[in-house]
Amino acid sequence: MAISKGAKRTDGLESAEQVKIVVEEIAKKSQTVADLFLIGVETQLRGVDMRSWRWDELNIGSKVLRITQDKTKEAVEVELTETAREVLKARYNERGNNVYVFQNDSNRSKGKPISRSKIHAEIQYAVDKLKMRKLLPQDAVISMHSARKTVATIAHNNNEDLEVISKMLGHRSTEHTRAYLGITQAKVDALRTKYSTGIKRGTHV
């Protein structure tokens, strides 16, 4: 298998506890971005698709969400977890009069979906704070895309079926999923070193 060295790295979070601390830290400045990130973790959907959701297009009472993905233009059905449904219901109770589910709160951009730059800035601010408190690894690369990647990362680390993970992410092949989950050359080299026998060659005269 060829291992890509050029792909932009983004890490998934590795536990529900990590998700909790990241979401709580983001919420200190922006509940909207915190909700968006958590919905991304729960649905494995892309931020670009979620941020433009309109209330009049969603049936928040349904357990199944039907959307057309912006990147692939494919229609998908996602079964909403109880957590995802509760987040959407809470947002509707608080902001159901808005046009967009994840609408910008600032007066300057009122009535528009939250911007990518705002999402990025709030996540990075929270992640930097958590790294300073040593609650996240210093080398972790966390972004909005980390939300989509998180459940797949946790599942893969727990030896779940790669084909099922691939299907969940909407990938066309398990090879794509392997690369996506970060099976990089560095990890291959580290594994080889970890399981080296350590046997020393004898000297014979």
Side-chain angles (χ1 to χ4, degrees), residues 42-44 63-65 77-81 84-85:
E42 294 290 319
T43 63
Q44 298 81 54
K63 291 187 176 182
V64 177
L65 186 68
E77 289 189 354
V78 178
E79 185 170 349
L80 293 174
T81 64
R85 292 199 307 274

Side-chain angles (χ1 to χ4, degrees), residues 35-204:
D35 289 345
L36 179 67
F37 192 90
L38 184 54
I39 292 282
V41 171
E42 294 290 319
T43 63
Q44 298 81 54
L45 294 172
R46 297 176 179 88
V48 67
D49 293 324
M50 296 185 294
R51 76 181 190 90
S52 59
W53 285 352
R54 298 167 59 104
W55 284 121
D56 60 9
E57 296 171 341
L58 293 186
N59 178 2
I60 62 169
S62 174
K63 291 187 176 182
V64 177
L65 186 68
R66 296 174 178 85
I67 67 159
T68 299
Q69 297 181 99
D70 186 72
K71 181 178 180 180
T72 64
K73 306 304 179 189
E74 292 180 357
V76 296
E77 289 189 354
V78 178
E79 185 170 349
L80 293 174
T81 64
E82 185 177 346
T83 294
R85 292 199 307 274
E86 286 181 356
V87 171
L88 287 173
K89 285 176 183 175
R91 288 199 66 76
Y92 186 77
N93 289 337
E94 295 167 3
R95 302 157 192 257
N97 291 328
N98 288 348
V99 174
Y100 296 96
V101 178
F102 301 104
Q103 189 161 303
N104 210 316
D105 291 328
S106 71
N107 290 327
R108 196 168 49 177
S109 304
K110 212 164 185 64
K112 296 180 180 178
I114 193 162
S115 67
R116 294 185 191 188
S117 59
K118 172 75 170 174
I119 295 166
H120 176 77
E122 297 295 358
I123 292 172
Q124 289 310 306
Y125 182 84
V127 167
D128 288 345
K129 289 282 187 184
L130 292 169
K131 286 182 177 181
M132 285 173 60
R133 285 161 28 210
K134 303 189 186 308
L135 293 173
L136 284 177
Q138 295 302 306
D139 62 348
V141 181
I142 307 300
S143 67
M144 184 60 220
H145 195 71
S146 299
R148 168 170 160 78
K149 203 169 183 177
T150 287
V151 168
T153 299
I154 296 170
H156 187 254
N157 289 346
N158 283 284
N159 301 311
E160 298 288 354
D161 189 330
L162 190 65
E163 287 193 13
V164 177
I165 296 171
S166 186
K167 176 75 172 173
M168 177 184 72
L169 293 170
H171 289 169
R172 298 187 186 278
S173 72
T174 54
E175 292 301 302
H176 182 182
T177 306
R178 281 194 180 92
Y180 180 79
L181 291 174
I183 303 179
T184 60
Q185 189 62 54
K187 286 189 177 180
V188 171
D189 293 342
L191 191 67
R192 183 180 295 115
T193 301
K194 179 179 178 179
Y195 290 103
S196 167
T197 62
I199 296 171
K200 305 295 182 186
R201 181 178 179 273
T203 326
H204 303 281

